[in-house]
Amino acid sequence: MNDDTAASTPKRSGPYELVARSTYGEYQGTKRPRVVRVAGVAFGERLPAIIAGPCAVESRAQTLEIARAVKKAGAVMLRGGAFKPRTSPYDFQGLGDEGLEILAEARTVTGLPVVTEVLDPRDVERIGRVADCLQVGSRSMQNFALLREVGQSGLPVLLKRHWAASLTEWLCAAEYIAVEGNLDIILCERGIRTFSHDDYNRNTLDLNVVPAVRERSILPIVVDPSHGTGFASMVPDTARGAVGVGADGLIIEVIASDRRRRSTLCDARQGILPSELAAIVEDARSWSSRPRRELARG
Ligand code: PEP
Ligand code: MN
């Protein structure tokens, strides 16, 4: 860099100034997040917003059945992947465009807004025609071309943390979206990889990061106890923990019934039943009036 270039480089207050709490006078001295709205659903207001649905859109019947069930259980947004980031290229990769059509139908039937993952910058526009919120998955957290593209889409973005990303790296990824003029970003903690990998934890759910995000950033944060634990039996209690530390919402994978678990292609082990989801929703609603949660949320 020569002297002229150095002189014309604007002075930054930090590597992620647009999403940093310290940048905004009105947010300083509070733990209040900036409210992000997705088709009328608020993230960062008093009540935690519960997103639920299948891991993947596997068929029309499966998706519509689960969508109706999560709506009945009290979820306010539908999740479901049409384009799936699978570790092996031989695993089910999602239904693609057919999956998007099914999600659009599920939204019409239930009235729930839809969040779905985008893997490729070239798909942002196409997926954005159906999705109310674009999900950037853990594996894509540092796909900078994708981050810029979703930033330009103007749609709200659910940005999952990579399992090996520090908080700074995660907030810098959010900054890539913000520099494109899009501050409608919802962070999502989904578990990190640690030495502890057992029959109760596919990942280690990092609940510490919720209050740490509060201190450093104005962005709302939701927690994914499904990928964060990897086991259906672990989801209800960790969901309660996430709400207790002040999360602005939860994103939870659901299967229609235990009988269906065997035929589920993607993340069958961690999907909870609609009745379990209903209990989590009820519990989350009751937390919102408890003084301890108010302290956590500020
Ligand atoms: C998902 O939510 O469908 C998913 C693939 O999660 P993650 O990116 O956190 O692994
Ligand atoms: Mn999944």
Side-chain angles (χ1 to χ4, degrees):
M1 198 187 282
N2 64 35
D3 281 352
D4 282 354
T5 318
S8 64
T9 304
K11 228 180 158 16
R12 301 266 169 239
S13 63
Y16 51 80
E17 66 179 3
L18 295 176
V19 303
R21 184 167 292 276
S22 57
T23 304
Y24 302 90
E26 70 270 34
Y27 287 101
Q28 272 173 49
T30 79
K31 294 178 182 169
R32 194 165 47 87
R34 176 175 183 273
V35 176
V36 173
R37 287 180 206 282
V38 180
V41 174
F43 291 84
E45 274 185 342
R46 229 164 150 258
L47 217 57
I50 316 288
I51 308 167
C55 173
V57 175
E58 298 185 11
S59 71
R60 180 171 177 271
Q62 167 251 17
T63 303
L64 293 182
E65 184 179 15
I66 296 176
R68 287 192 177 99
V70 304
K71 162 93 181 187
K72 191 158 167 247
V76 291
M77 192 176 308
L78 178 67
R79 61 148 291 142
F83 296 84
K84 292 302 298 178
R86 302 307 299 279
T87 301
S88 166
Y90 307 119
D91 287 337
F92 173 63
Q93 304 285 305
L95 295 178
D97 287 317
E98 189 192 340
L100 291 180
E101 281 172 30
I102 293 169
L103 285 172
E105 184 177 354
R107 183 182 40 200
T108 305
V109 167
T110 60
L112 295 176
V114 165
V115 57
T116 195
E117 180 159 357
V118 54
L119 293 169
D120 188 322
R122 292 168 297 188
D123 293 339
V124 167
E125 203 191 324
R126 190 153 106 256
I127 296 176
R129 273 184 238 129
V130 170
D132 298 285
C133 180
L134 295 170
Q135 177 172 327
V136 173
S138 193
R139 290 156 188 80
S140 303
M141 191 205 84
Q142 282 188 326
N143 180 339
F144 300 118
L146 180 64
L147 295 172
R148 288 193 188 278
E149 199 69 34
V150 297
Q152 286 165 20
S153 74
L155 283 170
V157 179
L158 182 80
L159 177 63
K160 296 190 105 179
R161 179 188 188 182
H162 189 269
W163 56 76
S166 68
L167 175 51
T168 298
E169 287 163 339
W170 189 16
L171 292 175
C172 283
E175 187 81 2
Y176 268 88
I177 300 168
V179 289
E180 299 302 324
N182 187 354
L183 250 193
D184 288 337
I185 306 162
I186 302 157
L187 298 172
C188 176
E189 158 61 27
R190 49 77 73 205
I192 53 173
R193 190 160 293 177
T194 69
F195 73 90
S196 180
H197 198 70
D198 218 313
D199 61 1
Y200 72 97
N201 63 341
R202 175 183 179 183
N203 291 293
T204 297
L205 188 61
D206 182 14
L207 291 184
N208 294 11
V209 88
V210 176
V213 162
R214 281 279 178 261
E215 281 178 18
R216 289 162 181 74
S217 177
I218 56 165
L219 299 180
I221 175 168
V222 304
V223 170
D224 174 350
S226 306
H227 295 89
T229 65
F231 294 88
S233 64
M234 300 296 298
V235 169
D237 286 334
T238 51
R240 194 171 309 130
V243 174
V245 293
D248 300 303
L250 300 167
I251 177 165
I252 295 178
E253 289 187 351
V254 171
I255 56 165
S257 66
D258 263 323
R259 197 166 51 82
R260 297 279 162 75
R261 201 180 292 279
R262 255 172 292 128
S263 58
T264 298
L265 296 172
C266 203
D267 285 348
R269 202 176 52 179
Q270 67 198 31
I272 62 167
L273 301 173
S275 57
E276 295 171 303
L277 179 69
I280 291 172
V281 171
E282 198 182 319
D283 187 69
R285 285 186 182 145
S286 75
W287 263 103
S288 67
S289 57
R290 290 186 211 173
R292 246 179 314 150
R293 178 173 155 81
E294 287 309 299
L295 279 177
R297 296 272 337 285

